[in-house]
Amino acid sequence: KFGLLGISIDRAVAEMLPGLREHYGVVVAAKAAYVPSQEVPVEPGDVIHAINQTRIATLETLRAAVEALKPGDPVVLEIERPGRTLFVAFEME
């Protein structure tokens, strides 16, 4: 639904991400060029740590959280972008 290619952060992936504040989450590896249903304000290299205050530890937990969303639901992602933590909000389409 979000048009993202994500990778769960494990020990090996965490070692490739110097300066990572939290050693869990899903790193955005790539974004689809066009997803007709949703534009998600994240970039490759961002790490998703939470969605609507639910901790995202793996790709499976991210998938489950996204699948539970319905059109019109508010979405707040806690993401880590190199050097800072951000909250991005949008409405599920």
Side-chain angles (χ1 to χ4, degrees):
K1 289 183 178 180
F2 283 0
L4 304 175
L5 173 62
I7 301 170
S8 294
I9 295 177
D10 58 15
R11 181 172 286 165
V13 173
E15 289 176 4
M16 292 185 272
L17 299 169
L20 191 62
R21 293 178 178 201
E22 302 290 341
H23 290 237
Y24 68 89
V26 173
V27 63
V28 177
K31 226 177 138 173
Y34 176 72
V35 178
S37 63
Q38 189 70 54
E39 177 60 32
V40 181
V42 296
E43 302 171 2
D46 288 349
V47 178
I48 300 171
H49 290 300
I51 183 169
N52 292 349
Q53 299 182 339
T54 298
R55 181 178 171 173
I56 300 301
T58 64
L59 191 54
E60 291 75 25
T61 56
L62 177 62
R63 281 187 188 131
V66 171
E67 287 302 318
L69 296 170
K70 298 179 213 75
D73 283 351
V75 180
V76 178
L77 299 178
E78 177 187 341
I79 63 169
E80 183 175 337
R81 197 165 278 165
R84 59 193 168 143
T85 299
L86 303 168
F87 294 88
V88 293
F90 56 96
E91 186 175 292
M92 193 68 191
E93 292 181 10

